[in-house]
Amino acid sequence: MQRMTGLLVGAIFGAVFVVVNAQSPLDAVTANILRAAACLAAVAVAGMWVATVRRERPGAGERRSMYGRGYLVVVAAEAILLFGGLRVLAAWGSPEQANVAWVALVVGVHFIALAPVWKDRGIAVPGVVLTLLGAGGLALASTAAVAWVPLVSGVLSGVALLAGAVTFGWRAVTARTA
């Protein structure tokens, strides 16, 4: 159940990444299609979460909480890096688009840091993807291609989170019914 909750959180944040960042230079139709698809994917993961909640029995397969001290340390460091980094970017006069790149980078590093805490190497995969998309966006932010940063670091990060949440959520739901 904890894993499905993590996938639900990832899907919600993925949808937010897409909805907020699907904008110009994309045309309005493409942006709206991306937003609608992101919302549908998040709703699908929410449905899988509900199906899992209904199927699991209380106390069945209880194990150590994923949200212990290690998790709290990683999240605290993430918050400090996130908000501190945004202030630094503003102080340096970075374009506003660099903010989404910084968020993607920090969220990616947060997943990488959680892999050993949760003893789950799989969580590092979206971490590496988001870290690379964030770094790419930061590199683009100082070029004439700055308008593409929300697509690269925001929309693509959201798509990566949603694709992972839908894929692993589906696998978890179908494995239980098989």
Side-chain angles (χ1 to χ4, degrees):
M1 188 62 224
Q2 291 181 54
R3 184 171 177 88
M4 282 301 294
T5 299
L7 292 174
L8 177 61
V9 170
I12 291 168
F13 278 105
V16 169
F17 262 118
V18 174
V19 169
V20 169
N21 293 292
Q23 56 185 320
S24 177
L26 296 172
D27 64 85
V29 172
T30 303
N32 286 330
I33 289 170
L34 286 168
R35 288 181 186 122
C39 291
L40 288 173
V43 167
V45 174
M48 290 181 244
W49 182 84
V50 168
T52 302
V53 167
R54 288 184 176 167
R55 200 174 1 251
E56 287 196 4
R57 290 179 232 129
E62 284 189 33
R63 57 185 159 178
R64 183 177 63 87
S65 174
M66 294 172 57
Y67 307 108
R69 186 178 351 171
Y71 171 81
L72 294 175
V73 168
V74 170
V75 170
E78 176 186 25
I80 291 166
L81 286 171
L82 183 63
F83 295 109
L86 292 174
R87 288 193 166 256
V88 168
L89 288 172
W92 285 345
S94 297
E96 184 180 319
Q97 294 90 333
N99 292 346
V100 71
W102 180 251
V103 171
L105 182 108
V106 171
V107 170
V109 169
H110 139 269
F111 283 135
I112 294 168
L114 282 176
V117 171
W118 284 349
K119 295 173 182 45
D120 181 2
R121 291 183 298 162
I123 192 86
V125 174
V128 169
V129 171
L130 267 65
T131 300
L132 292 173
L133 291 169
L138 285 172
L140 283 176
S142 61
T143 72
V146 67
W148 290 96
V149 173
L151 175 72
V152 171
S153 297
V155 173
L156 294 180
S157 291
V159 167
L161 288 171
L162 286 162
V166 168
T167 300
F168 291 104
W170 183 253
R171 285 182 185 171
V173 169
T174 57
R176 290 189 179 112
T177 59

